[in-house]
């Protein structure tokens, strides 16, 4: 087993690791306000995948509560994907009330103003009663959108001073070319939690907690006598982003009394086509980057609020969206693909149910963590080296909050990079 191999982009792990992280960013109202403008208002935010809007007229509506925004993302008749503020320029009503669907145009239900899928205003009832109405200036307000490897990113700045390519930096090269199998029709789980968004992100960033919180559900696969605390195989950073490649027990097998689990994880339940797709997927250099036999999964942290997790069966994502200083919407997406038979459906349903049990074990703890943070009993977290991804993310969040621009936050204006 290799622990902490080739870490941190040419810097020694000890140069980053200090062991303590301040808790003020987790409980300060002023810090949350600064995150709103300087972080979420300037960073490129991952919103979903192109498969969600595969056909002309397909749309999704997504809330970004920290910016008080409702976002309409739509594939136009010209096959171009665009994003708009879901706000009518007439009286500021929300135009689209559904979460998703397919429409050739959008009609505001307040007064029936009609907009094309490219955002242009097409129809105004009793238009003659509006003096000097310039329809060309009354389009839906666009939001900057760029697509990378099928992932849709938005930037809410009027004029972003960094491109998505600059924002992703070397993380883009690391993940480039992954075949995101089964990317359509994910199983989506949403939970609203009474805690700061960073507490939720931290809960899924490391494996040090697994022997305690997941003693029955995960410990048998993520730890053993040789690595009892699940120390990672590799930790690597790419600017504000990072990778935590986790250890997995190489000879794990369900015990005799776990007949249902053994049946569900039987590879014979997968079709040959899916087995071939998974084989291509795991062969990518970023999947199990150390190519260790003792591997379980990778947490690919896309700053500031997304994890793209990869394992031997595909991908799942965690997103932690701030609603308020002490409230977060957690969204988990399981990209499993559609089952091709009864046996495969059984295996898929079991795996998702098992994963949900694990997630609930994590989420059951975050509100207690926030209560402890808010108590003021301690001003710092004491972190192990296995939790260095948390320290790295908080350092960059603080850097964005304090920076005069996104370029400065990324060290693209002559400043030092982390």
């Amino acid at each position: 087993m290799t622990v902490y191999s080739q870490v941190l982009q040419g810097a020694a792990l000890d140069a980053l690791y200090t062991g303590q992280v301040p808790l003020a960013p987790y409980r300060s109202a002023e810090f949350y306000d600064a995150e709103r403008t300087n972080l979420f208002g300037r960073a490129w935010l991952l919103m979903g995948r192109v498969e969600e809007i595969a056909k002309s007229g397909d749309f999704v509506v997504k809330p970004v509560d920290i910016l008080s925004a409702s976002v309409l993302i739509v594939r136009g008749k010209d096959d171009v994907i665009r994003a708009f503020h879901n706000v009518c320029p007439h009286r500021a009503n929300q135009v689209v009330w559904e979460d998703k669907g397919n429409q050739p145009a959008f009609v505001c239900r307040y007064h029936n103003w009609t907009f094309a899928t490219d955002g242009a205003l097409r129809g105004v009832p009793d238009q003659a009663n509006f003096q000097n109405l310039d329809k060309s200036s009354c389009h839906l307000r666009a939001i900057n959108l760029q697509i990378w490897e099928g992932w849709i990113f938005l930037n809410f700045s009027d004029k972003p001073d960094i491109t998505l390519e600059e924002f992703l930096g070397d993380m883009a090269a690391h993940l480039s070319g992954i075949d995101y199998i089964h990317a359509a029709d994910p199983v989506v789980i949403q939970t609203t939690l009474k805690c700061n968004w960073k507490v939720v992100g931290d809960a899924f960033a490391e494996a040090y907690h697994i022997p305690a919180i997941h003693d029955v559900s995960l410990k048998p696969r993520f730890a053993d006598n040789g690595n009892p605390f699940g120390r990672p195989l590799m930790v690597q950073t790419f600017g504000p982003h990072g990778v935590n490649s986790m250890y997995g027990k190489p000879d794990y097998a369900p015990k005799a009394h776990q007949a249902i689990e053994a049946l569900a994880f039987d590879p014979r339940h997968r079709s040959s086509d899916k087995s071939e797709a998974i084989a291509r997927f795991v062969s990518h250099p970023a999947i199990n980057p150390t190519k260790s036999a003792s591997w379980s999964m990778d947490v690919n942290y896309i700053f500031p609020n997304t994890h793209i997790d990869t394992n031997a069966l595909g991908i799942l994502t965690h997103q932690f969206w701030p609603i308020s200083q002490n409230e977060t919407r957690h969204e988990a997406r399981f990209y499993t693909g559609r089952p091709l038979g009864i046996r495969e459906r059984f295996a898929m349903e079991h795996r998702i149910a098992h994963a949900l049990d694990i997630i609930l074990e994590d989420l059951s703890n975050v509100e207690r963590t926030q209560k402890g943070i808010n108590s003021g009993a301690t001003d710092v977290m004491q972190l192990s080296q296995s939790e260095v991804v948390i320290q790295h993310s908080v350092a960059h969040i603080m850097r964005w909050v304090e920076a005069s621009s996104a370029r400065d936050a990324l060290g693209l204006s002559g400043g030092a990079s982390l």
Side-chain angles (χ1 to χ4, degrees):
M1 177 184 66
T2 303
V3 180
Y4 299 130
S5 62
Q6 305 300 315
V7 293
L8 295 180
Q9 214 174 346
L13 177 64
D14 290 342
L16 173 70
Y17 174 71
T18 62
Q20 292 189 342
V21 166
L23 285 173
Y26 292 76
R27 63 188 178 211
S28 163
E30 293 77 14
F31 193 88
Y32 181 81
D33 288 340
E35 287 177 327
R36 176 185 295 114
T37 56
N38 293 354
L39 177 54
F40 285 87
R42 300 192 299 199
W44 286 92
L45 306 177
L46 194 154
M47 301 300 297
R49 287 200 57 83
V50 296
E51 290 85 356
E52 294 182 69
I53 42 176
K55 303 187 297 295
S56 173
D58 281 357
F59 70 89
V60 293
V61 173
K62 301 200 174 190
V64 183
D65 296 277
I66 191 170
L67 300 177
S68 301
S70 173
V71 175
L72 171 63
I73 305 175
V74 57
R75 187 182 288 270
K77 294 180 179 179
D78 54 3
D79 205 39
V80 175
I81 296 174
R82 300 177 176 88
F84 305 98
H85 286 277
N86 183 26
V87 177
C88 181
H90 173 218
R91 293 272 292 278
N93 191 51
Q94 288 191 336
V95 177
V96 183
W97 297 358
E98 299 81 10
D99 292 333
K100 61 181 179 179
N102 182 285
Q103 294 180 191
F106 302 104
V107 180
C108 178
R109 301 181 196 183
Y110 199 179
H111 298 91
N112 286 344
W113 279 37
T114 303
F115 302 87
T117 54
D118 65 358
L121 176 60
R122 293 304 187 211
V124 177
D126 196 15
Q127 182 177 337
N129 201 32
F130 288 81
Q131 295 185 13
N132 304 317
L133 177 66
D134 180 8
K135 289 171 64 176
S136 66
S137 67
C138 293
H139 49 73
L140 297 177
R141 182 180 172 187
I143 304 172
N144 303 289
L145 180 150
Q146 291 189 29
I147 297 171
W148 174 80
E149 300 273 324
W151 298 102
I152 299 171
F153 286 81
L154 299 185
N155 190 303
F156 285 82
S157 300
D158 289 336
K159 294 182 180 180
D161 66 346
I162 53 169
T163 65
L164 177 59
E165 180 182 10
E166 290 173 319
F167 176 72
L168 291 175
D170 291 336
M171 188 67 160
H174 177 71
L175 298 178
S176 179
I178 290 178
D179 179 12
Y180 292 101
I181 54 178
H182 317 320
D185 301 315
V187 176
V188 183
I189 306 297
Q190 293 187 1
T191 311
T192 300
L193 302 155
K194 294 180 180 179
C195 65
N196 186 271
W197 66 280
K198 295 182 289 296
V199 172
V200 184
D202 294 353
F204 298 102
E206 44 78 19
Y208 179 53
H209 70 284
I210 286 177
I213 290 179
H214 306 302
D215 182 44
V216 175
S217 58
L218 274 187
K219 181 181 176 181
R221 276 182 271 170
F222 279 70
D224 58 19
N225 291 336
N227 190 1
F229 299 106
R231 292 182 178 181
L233 298 172
M234 185 193 82
V235 176
Q236 189 167 4
T237 64
F238 302 92
H241 319 286
V243 178
N244 181 4
S245 188
M246 295 187 180
Y247 176 82
K249 188 175 179 182
D251 57 350
Y252 170 79
K255 298 186 182 301
H257 68 278
Q258 297 172 306
I260 301 299
E261 181 179 355
L263 185 62
F265 281 81
D266 189 331
R268 292 175 297 178
H269 290 330
R270 293 196 297 269
S271 67
S272 59
D273 289 345
K274 286 192 174 181
S275 295
E276 292 173 4
I278 289 172
R280 291 194 302 271
F281 171 76
V282 298
S283 68
H284 190 279
I287 312 299
N288 183 12
T290 64
K291 299 306 175 187
S292 170
S294 303
W295 170 75
S296 58
M297 62 179 289
D298 304 313
V299 175
N300 297 291
Y301 171 48
I302 306 297
F303 184 83
N305 68 323
T306 298
H307 292 168
I308 301 175
D309 292 354
T310 56
N311 58 44
L313 294 175
I315 64 171
L316 65 95
T317 63
H318 292 287
Q319 290 197 290
F320 11 103
W321 289 101
I323 297 175
S324 67
Q325 175 190 343
N326 285 321
E327 192 173 15
T328 300
R329 185 178 67 258
H330 171 256
E331 297 180 0
R333 284 175 167 77
F334 298 88
Y335 294 89
T336 60
R338 294 184 178 181
L340 300 180
I342 298 297
R343 289 162 60 92
E344 188 175 11
R345 178 165 189 148
F346 162 74
M348 188 179 299
E349 295 280 358
H350 183 278
R351 289 197 298 271
I352 292 175
H354 184 257
L356 287 179
D357 284 343
I358 295 166
I359 289 175
L360 287 174
E361 288 174 343
D362 284 306
L363 297 184
S364 67
N365 195 54
V366 295
E367 293 185 359
R368 285 191 289 269
T369 299
Q370 189 65 51
K371 288 179 179 179
I373 291 171
N374 290 347
S375 74
T378 179
D379 291 327
V380 297
M381 294 186 288
Q382 306 284 345
L383 300 185
S384 71
Q385 290 187 344
S386 294
E387 301 163 288
V388 72
V389 171
I390 296 173
Q391 181 177 316
H392 182 71
S393 67
V394 174
H396 277 274
I397 290 167
M398 294 175 67
R399 179 170 180 151
W400 276 71
V401 163
E402 297 166 359
S404 60
S405 69
R407 296 195 70 80
D408 285 342
L410 288 177
L412 299 176
S413 300
S417 59
L418 291 178

